[in-house]
Amino acid sequence: MPFPVDESGRRGFTYYSRYFRSADGAMPTDRFPLVVEHGSLGLLRIPADHGTYSLCLIGRSDDQQLRRALRNERAWSAAVRLFSGADRWLDGRPVTDGIQIMAGLTDRKRPLYDTQRPLVTGLVAVGDAWAVTTPTVGRGLAMSLRHSLLLRETLRRTGTAHPVELVTRFAEATRDSLGRVYERTAAYTRHRLAEMDAHTAGTVYRNPDWIRAKALALLARRDTDALRAERAAAHLLPGARDALRAPALADAVTRLVPEVEQHVPPGPSRADLLKAIHS
């Protein structure tokens, strides 16, 4: 009898995090981006309450050169300082000891329906039980909320008296709605890993879809209307994808593509990164 099988990315990311509290209870600055990606390393900033925050370096889970070094506090701090403006975030007082590791972060889905028939009946997988995605994108909560609403609507239509129909209709609704969201998020993971691989090899990753995504991100930093549209789409608000396809916004993104293609993000080379964390 068929049984559920995870659909999982073979590779993913590892987070190397430290937690801090500022001396005056305020964030060091509000101008530093929440996520900065350069080459084979990324930096994630997560503000919290009462002047507390975390800084998280993001590397490939299979990057052995970084995996060993970034467990060391000195090497970790040296890597953070390679990101322009990030040194101010190291002035806070650490509130945890050592480097907190979260590994094996990738996109994973466990469908209970194989496109032809339910693999189980009387049971549906909702939210993280159905799929998890790369946390850097920050989409898990929005996906779970939408999935809960899909289940509510499915139950209103089918009830619970017919378990095969319930599982089938819920699987179809999930595929038509969140299936596309999952694929877009998994595409981010594939592109980002390819970009990190290229940086490690001393080359530049060029993919039309990835470049266009970066052009949209650049436009969002410059234009408030584009920012609202981009954030609405990221958090799955109704009608957000249509707003991103609006001719004016799409044309603005297209005009930025040449700039993105020619722009080399500021940051350390792979050699400079390894030198900093091993010196």
Side-chain angles (χ1 to χ4, degrees):
M1 179 177 179
F3 56 90
V5 177
D6 282 2
E7 299 175 12
S8 176
R10 293 179 301 165
R11 305 167 63 210
F13 305 100
T14 296
Y15 284 6
Y16 307 85
S17 303
R18 296 192 74 188
Y19 298 81
F20 299 87
R21 178 177 287 111
S22 66
D24 60 0
M27 294 294 106
T29 174
D30 61 357
R31 297 184 179 276
F32 192 78
L34 291 178
V35 182
V36 181
E37 294 176 335
H38 173 77
S40 50
L41 196 63
L43 180 63
L44 173 66
R45 172 177 69 88
I46 306 177
D49 298 331
H50 306 296
T52 58
Y53 56 91
S54 67
L55 292 177
C56 172
L57 288 170
I58 307 171
R60 300 190 329 264
S61 293
D62 56 357
D63 192 333
Q64 298 298 327
Q65 290 177 309
L66 298 187
R67 187 175 183 176
R68 297 185 182 94
L70 294 181
R71 296 170 181 266
N72 176 275
E73 292 182 17
R74 183 210 58 77
W76 184 92
S77 296
V80 170
R81 289 191 178 95
L82 292 173
F83 292 85
S84 177
D87 54 335
R88 295 180 60 183
W89 293 85
L90 295 174
D91 293 337
R93 179 175 62 83
V95 295
T96 54
D97 296 327
I99 309 299
Q100 310 298 311
I101 308 294
M102 188 161 59
L105 301 173
T106 189
D107 308 291
R108 183 176 296 108
K109 182 171 63 173
R110 174 173 288 183
L112 301 182
Y113 188 82
D114 67 358
T115 73
Q116 295 180 345
R117 61 189 181 282
L119 300 177
V120 296
T121 58
L123 176 70
V124 293
V126 183
D128 285 358
W130 169 69
V132 294
T133 54
T134 303
T136 308
V137 180
R139 194 169 284 160
L141 180 58
M143 290 179 67
S144 294
L145 288 172
R146 178 180 283 189
H147 213 191
S148 298
L149 294 175
L150 287 175
L151 178 59
R152 182 189 66 180
E153 296 304 314
T154 303
L155 285 168
R156 284 174 173 174
R157 291 194 303 269
T158 67
T160 58
H162 305 286
V164 173
E165 182 182 4
L166 170 62
V167 173
T168 300
R169 297 292 172 261
F170 186 59
E172 291 171 347
T174 299
R175 178 199 62 207
D176 294 341
S177 177
L178 287 177
R180 298 186 182 98
V181 176
Y182 177 86
E183 290 304 323
R184 289 196 298 268
T185 311
Y188 162 84
T189 300
R190 292 192 300 271
H191 286 307
R192 179 63 184 131
L193 287 172
E195 185 175 60
M196 298 169 100
D197 289 339
H199 186 260
T200 301
T203 61
V204 178
Y205 177 63
R206 299 193 183 281
N207 176 280
D209 293 335
W210 185 237
I211 290 173
R212 192 166 181 86
K214 286 180 172 289
L216 173 60
L218 178 59
L219 180 63
R221 293 197 293 271
R222 298 177 178 179
D223 182 271
T224 54
D225 290 336
L227 175 61
R228 281 191 289 269
E230 187 272 334
R231 286 294 82 197
H235 296 296
L236 311 182
L237 297 184
R241 295 299 297 178
D242 292 335
L244 284 183
R245 299 187 187 100
L249 193 149
D251 290 345
V253 170
T254 299
R255 289 194 296 271
L256 282 177
V257 165
E259 180 179 340
V260 173
E261 289 177 325
Q262 297 167 13
H263 177 65
V264 177
S269 67
R270 179 72 178 189
D272 289 341
L273 169 61
L274 294 178
K275 180 179 179 180
I277 64 178
H278 289 295
S279 61

